[in-house]
Amino acid sequence: MSNAPRTEEDAEYKKLCENHKHLIETLPKCNGWWTPHLHNYNGFWLSPDILKANLLLHTYFKSHPTDIFLASFMKSGTTWLKALVFSTLNRHCYTFSDHYLHKHNPHSAFSPLDAESYPITDFTNSSTPRVFSTHFTRTMLPACMSSCKFVYVCRDPKDVLISMWHFMNKIRSKDLPPLSLDEAFELFCLGVSDYGPFWEQVLSYWSASLEYPDKILFLKYEDMKKEPEVVVKKLAAFVGKPITVEEEEKGVVREIVKLCSFENLSNLEVNKEGFEKFGRLVNIEKRDFFRKGVIGDWKNYLTKEMKERIDGITAQKFKGSGLIFTATG
Ligand code: A3P
């Protein structure tokens, strides 16, 4: 952010925003999930404000070699990943009986790049390593970030769809009618959802993780549910703070898993009341980050035909990539 102007009145900044506005007006658009429209930019669908944030990111964001980015498609386990990474990285700063996460929603631990208040935000005082979250596809990120470490979490698209449909109806503009599941399903299958198409976004990180395995840790929500302790150990090693034998014996991994579990986080008072602000874009009720936190809730919503259609798209898009989702029914 070194060259970022400090005020929104900066003439160059205003000119840039004006150019972005004109660019966005020329882009193809489609019905949105929580905003009236999504715009297609370089093959991906974004709401106008998130797209503006992406364009500004390219001008103003300067990565540091030690930065870590937590990337995901929406509703794939970002909240959980933030909690796990925060408590793993900072395990020497807090006790498990008096922890930052007892008093703060996991989203407040790390800044989301996608909704940042450019050009005002100044990350220079952030601790090292700086950690950010993003839902942008890998190909939409500034080139300077490509040498940094990423942790990516993906999830069965059927569960992503159902989670996203519930969530979007919560944050959807009250001026719009509720989004029906049929419409959400159709849009999702066509790739038209915030940050979508889902499959291309996942593949952008998957292929990068094959090419740069020491730079991108690719996780699956389903594996995290099944073997959270294994994942915590992987995360710790990846961020350069491996769990020691002594820590393991003292039960540190178990404590991190317990602290960040759906049951624990969703029952904390701090996550039941109030809002989490994402840059200047949107206020989200903290309780809306926690719904069921299970694998396979799609079975309660999707017909056999819907399931087969999504599975068919997944099989076709991921064919030959080596990426396989554990069957959830
Ligand atoms: P469901 O809607 O299926 O319950 P994100 O954090 O990327 O927005 O993803 C939200 C999804 O993760 C929601 O899924 C939410 O309930 C679930 N989730 C939130 N915290 C979790 C945790 N600690 N463990 C497991 N799942 C969690």
Side-chain angles (χ1 to χ4, degrees):
M1 297 295 291
S2 53
N3 63 345
R6 310 272 14 110
T7 112
E8 287 178 49
E9 297 313 310
D10 180 276
E12 219 174 284
Y13 172 72
K14 278 169 92 171
K15 176 110 197 331
L16 193 63
C17 291
E18 204 47 39
N19 291 345
H20 292 163
K21 194 166 153 249
H22 291 313
L23 167 75
I24 291 170
E25 278 164 9
T26 66
L27 299 174
K29 63 179 180 177
C30 209
N31 283 355
W33 289 56
W34 61 288
T35 51
H37 296 110
L38 289 172
H39 295 269
N40 192 292
Y41 184 63
N42 291 337
F44 288 87
W45 294 95
L46 294 169
S47 61
D49 283 337
I50 304 263
L51 175 50
K52 282 181 201 158
N54 181 270
L55 296 168
L56 290 170
L57 190 66
H58 283 264
T59 306
Y60 294 124
F61 187 75
K62 300 283 171 267
S63 61
H64 295 175
T66 54
D67 286 348
I68 298 174
F69 297 93
L70 308 183
S72 56
F73 197 80
M74 290 186 80
K75 314 323 287 174
S76 297
T78 322
T79 314
W80 190 15
L81 182 64
K82 282 187 176 185
L84 287 170
V85 170
F86 182 85
S87 47
T88 301
L89 264 179
N90 296 293
R91 63 187 187 269
H92 306 299
C93 308
Y94 302 97
T95 65
F96 290 103
S97 55
D98 182 17
H99 201 277
Y100 175 91
L101 289 175
H102 291 152
K103 300 177 197 105
H104 301 88
N105 179 268
H107 286 280
S108 70
F110 304 125
S111 298
L113 277 190
D114 317 10
E116 261 315 322
S117 305
Y118 300 105
I120 312 298
T121 307
D122 183 352
F123 296 121
T124 48
N125 291 331
S126 307
S127 57
T128 302
R130 305 187 309 174
V131 183
F132 301 97
S133 62
T134 184
H135 297 308
F136 289 130
T137 194
R138 173 110 172 141
T139 50
M140 282 187 83
L141 294 173
C144 63
M145 285 165 60
S146 58
S147 58
C148 300
K149 284 190 174 178
F150 281 74
V151 182
Y152 183 80
V153 59
C154 77
R155 189 182 188 190
D156 182 330
K158 301 188 289 302
D159 280 332
V160 169
L161 162 65
I162 295 305
S163 183
M164 209 157 100
W165 172 63
H166 280 285
F167 183 76
M168 292 302 192
N169 270 315
K170 294 255 166 68
I171 66 167
R172 190 167 161 91
S173 161
K174 299 291 168 254
D175 302 333
L176 300 170
L179 181 69
S180 72
L181 180 55
D182 282 344
E183 190 183 350
F185 175 79
E186 201 51 42
L187 288 170
F188 189 83
C189 287
L190 294 172
V192 185
S193 60
D194 295 74
Y195 302 95
F198 167 86
W199 298 273
E200 278 74 2
Q201 198 263 24
V202 174
L203 282 174
S204 74
Y205 287 96
W206 172 251
S207 42
S209 76
L210 297 180
E211 203 173 340
Y212 310 104
D214 53 330
K215 290 284 181 198
I216 303 185
L217 178 63
F218 192 94
L219 301 174
K220 292 180 185 159
Y221 181 93
E222 293 75 17
D223 296 341
M224 289 163 67
K225 285 295 277 190
K226 284 178 201 148
E227 295 191 304
E229 296 196 11
V230 173
V231 170
V232 167
K233 283 188 247 174
K234 268 192 199 168
L235 275 175
F238 185 74
V239 299
K241 294 199 173 181
I243 304 284
T244 62
V245 175
E246 198 191 355
E247 283 180 311
E248 178 113 48
E249 283 169 3
K250 274 179 26 198
V252 170
V253 178
R254 226 172 16 253
E255 290 287 358
I256 292 175
V257 168
K258 200 165 104 191
L259 172 70
C260 302
S261 69
F262 181 85
E263 292 66 31
N264 184 56
L265 291 181
S266 61
N267 282 309
L268 292 172
E269 283 311 310
V270 66
N271 292 322
K272 288 185 184 169
E273 294 291 331
F275 291 82
E276 190 65 36
K277 193 165 170 54
F278 280 80
R280 72 182 100 183
L281 297 186
V282 63
N283 268 329
I284 295 173
E285 280 204 68
K286 290 189 220 167
R287 65 161 71 98
D288 292 340
F289 291 111
F290 306 93
R291 195 180 62 91
K292 287 194 179 170
V294 297
I295 299 173
D297 188 42
W298 62 265
K299 289 176 200 157
N300 297 314
Y301 297 91
L302 301 184
T303 62
K304 187 168 168 282
E305 290 70 32
M306 288 164 133
K307 174 218 183 273
E308 281 170 3
R309 182 157 163 215
I310 297 203
D311 283 350
I313 298 171
T314 305
Q316 183 241 319
K317 298 258 190 186
F318 290 175
K319 195 172 170 198
S321 71
L323 178 57
I324 298 162
F325 273 103
T326 325
T328 59

